[in-house]
Amino acid sequence: MPTVTTVNPFTGEPIHEWELMDFSSLTEATTRARKGFCDWRHVPVAKRVVRVRGALDYFKANREAIAGDITAQMGRPLAQARGEIDGLLERFNYLCDIAPEVLAADAVTKRENFHREILHEPHGVVLIIAAWNYPLLIAASGISAALLAGNTVLLKHSTRTLSIGEQFEKAFGDELLQHVVMDHANTVRLIEEGDINHVVFTGSVGGGEKIYASTAKRNCDCNL
């Protein structure tokens, strides 16, 4: 099985070796995400908020370990790594605060004999491709919005900061979020052929162009 290794950028020493998932494993992960979505989408927004806020306890309880992972894998000073955890908690809590209002149906001008409103429906399975330079915050922006809106998530984190993707899965549970470790070829294939409904990407211009080209080959939303 092909592998990828996270490396300490300061010492050059290897930290951890990860197995790259083949397309069959990615298909299984997508199937689990689809099954999770079928249940999660029907959970009332207020209960989604409670579940998401509860997951934040994991980041509080494992604050030092997560900060240490950030420092070891991408070189941010430990004090700043701790600050990124504070930023993640602030971002999630803000979106939890506004979710009931933002996701409520929009009223449309009344018309006799008609009931009209605009509903905010979830996409389905969301693939989030996160960058290494703010490994918590960049991923958190997509994850918080996706989960609160009723979607489930496949999270592909940067190969430099893979343990952060794993931390998100531990926090939210694999029925809502799965950390997927894959190479560029299988990322492209998953977007073009996989059972996903929305892509969120943060990264280089070149990477964005490739992701956009892949989404253009299928009926899939793209948020770059």
Side-chain angles (χ1 to χ4, degrees), residues 11-66:
T11 65
E13 296 178 352
I15 298 174
H16 187 75
E17 186 176 72
W18 305 78
E19 287 190 357
L20 288 166
M21 299 170 69
D22 58 22
F23 193 70
S24 175
S25 298
L26 291 170
T27 299
E28 291 175 3
T30 309
T31 299
R32 288 196 297 274
R34 177 65 57 190
K35 181 178 179 181
F37 167 67
C38 290
D39 295 329
W40 183 240
R41 68 176 302 177
H42 296 298
V43 174
V45 174
K47 290 187 177 181
R48 289 183 210 153
V49 168
V50 171
R51 173 70 183 275
V52 170
R53 284 199 199 275
L56 298 182
D57 291 339
Y58 176 87
F59 293 96
K60 298 173 186 176
N62 295 279
R63 178 186 179 89
E64 289 304 304
I66 295 170

Side-chain angles (χ1 to χ4, degrees), residues 30 68 89 106 108 154 180:
T30 309
L89 296 174
D106 295 331
V108 179
L154 297 179
V180 290

Side-chain angles (χ1 to χ4, degrees), residues 34-156:
R34 177 65 57 190
K35 181 178 179 181
F37 167 67
C38 290
D39 295 329
W40 183 240
R41 68 176 302 177
H42 296 298
V43 174
V45 174
K47 290 187 177 181
R48 289 183 210 153
V49 168
V50 171
R51 173 70 183 275
V52 170
R53 284 199 199 275
L56 298 182
D57 291 339
Y58 176 87
F59 293 96
K60 298 173 186 176
N62 295 279
R63 178 186 179 89
E64 289 304 304
I66 295 170
D69 280 350
I70 293 172
T71 296
Q73 292 178 42
M74 58 80 64
R76 176 164 292 129
L78 189 58
Q80 293 183 20
R82 294 183 182 121
E84 191 173 346
I85 296 171
D86 293 335
L88 173 142
L89 296 174
E90 182 180 2
R91 188 161 300 183
F92 264 96
N93 279 314
Y94 173 72
L95 288 180
C96 284
D97 287 343
I98 67 173
E101 179 181 355
V102 170
L103 295 172
D106 295 331
V108 179
T109 304
K110 292 182 179 180
R111 183 178 176 185
E112 187 176 359
N113 298 323
F114 285 90
H115 174 77
R116 301 189 298 178
E117 62 182 7
I118 298 173
L119 301 178
H120 300 284
E121 299 288 349
H123 290 291
V125 178
V126 176
L127 172 63
I128 296 177
I129 304 173
W132 63 271
N133 53 329
Y134 284 92
L136 283 178
L137 285 178
I138 287 174
S141 294
I143 291 168
S144 54
L147 292 180
L148 288 168
N151 305 284
T152 51
V153 171
L154 297 179
L155 172 62
K156 179 196 180 300

Side-chain angles (χ1 to χ4, degrees), residues 129 184 191 201-214 224:
I129 304 173
H184 292 312
I191 293 170
F201 170 81
T202 304
S204 68
V205 172
E209 290 173 345
K210 292 177 181 177
I211 297 296
Y212 195 80
S214 292
L224 302 179

